[in-house]
Amino acid sequence: MSSWEEKVHKVTPYTPGEQPKSTNVIKLNTNENPYPPAGAVQKAIADFDYESLRKYPDPTAAGLIGALSDTYGVPADQIFVGVGSDDVLAMSFLSFFTSGEKILFPDVTYSFYDVWADEFRIPFETVPLLPDFSIDIDGFCKGDAAGIVIPNPNAPTGLDAGTAALEKIIRSNPQCVVIIDEAYVDFGAESVLPLIEKYDNLLVTQTFSKSRALAGSRIGFAFGSKKLIKYLNDVKYSFNSYTMDAITQKVGVAALSDPEYFKMRCLAIINERERAKKRFTELGFDFPDSKSNFIFVHHPKVAAEDIFAALRENNIFVRHFDGERVHDHLRVTIGTEEQMDALFEFLGKYLEEKA
Ligand SMILES: *Cc1c(COP(=O)(O)O)cnc(C)c1O
């Protein structure tokens, strides 16, 4: 190794789900929304004044923050926006978790948390999920962590811990910031957002990527106490003032302008998920009871890796994770009715041949 290389900050990057080149694929591997964004988004892009790109975008994203404030009934100075919730979460780790002491998150969870911890040299411990994949609430209530991050519903299990359990964790940890990552909350779980009034160390993060069908635009946001949001902004403005471009800010406002469309699409995904649960059960799969836009399935007779490979050969992409507790599961994103029909038609035949 050359001497300069010894000084390089070496990290193992996060591995995102595959984005296949072929358009002939049923893509159920990255929890994207199978429906288009709201029509108002198309209009906002078409009407965008391209000449205005000459200027820097509004660093405060005031238009988008205002629209979020109206939509969620939260004052603007308690809202932070970032380039996807990955950006919001990375900024939050940098702002709240770099004390040098250990932070906590579940052992089976969003696989970006340990990447950020390594990136920012944050020591961490994982709290194992219980055998049924639910969060070990007491494991998070010892009150000695320097930071806690939990997705609710959890990924990739889809399980909702419930507000009472999450509040117990928040109440037990006044010594640190607690982040509840609500990337999937719009698919049927209850948000802990009202609790930001009660706990000034609670940060609630959400995203436009899943429920608002805007993964390609990169819009994430967070709610918290005024103090928490100020600390977060101070770090953000010390890093890069202009993270969110001008078009995206308009796109975000447009997406929020059509709550009826949003509700209709979320409900369609929820209904399709419940239908998928029945069909997975009929095919012999078991799974935690998902409140998200994916289901984490396991088949007692056929290895997940084999099912994954067979699906892939037939242009149906789902997600398989390595790791002791999860390698025999597949995370299947809820697609449209037609996509799910194709999935189940294939699985029916495949499992019949296998058995
Ligand atoms: C998808 C996801 C995110 C990040 O989404 P963005 O596209 O960056 O907004 C964050 N947390 C969890 C648990 C996710 O699944």
Side-chain angles (χ1 to χ4, degrees), residues 84-86 89 110 181 183-184 207 209-210 218:
S85 54
D86 283 343
L89 288 161
Y110 187 36
D181 175 353
Y184 301 103
T207 176
S209 295
K210 280 88 186 210
R218 315 305 302 126

Side-chain angles (χ1 to χ4, degrees), residues 242-318:
Y242 302 109
T243 49
M244 188 181 286
D245 69 85
I247 301 172
T248 300
Q249 293 185 28
K250 288 256 192 315
V251 161
V253 173
L256 292 170
S257 74
D258 195 345
E260 289 309 316
Y261 179 83
F262 170 66
K263 269 187 239 151
M264 174 188 75
R265 292 306 199 194
C266 287
L267 193 62
I269 291 168
I270 291 168
N271 289 339
E272 197 55 40
R273 175 189 72 210
E274 295 309 309
R275 204 168 70 99
K277 285 178 186 173
K278 290 205 191 91
R279 298 170 89 179
F280 276 125
T281 304
E282 284 161 15
L283 292 170
F285 287 91
D286 51 74
F287 46 86
D289 192 24
S290 171
K291 282 276 179 74
S292 60
N293 67 337
F294 55 82
I295 305 182
F296 197 48
V297 299
H298 161 260
H299 200 282
K301 297 208 183 92
V302 189
E305 244 171 325
D306 293 346
I307 303 174
F308 174 82
L311 283 169
R312 201 172 186 289
E313 245 170 61
N314 286 273
N315 282 328
I316 302 175
F317 283 44
V318 298

Side-chain angles (χ1 to χ4, degrees), residues 87 133 139 164 208 210 214 302 308 355:
D87 180 48
F133 279 148
F208 283 51
K210 280 88 186 210
L214 281 169
V302 189
F308 174 82

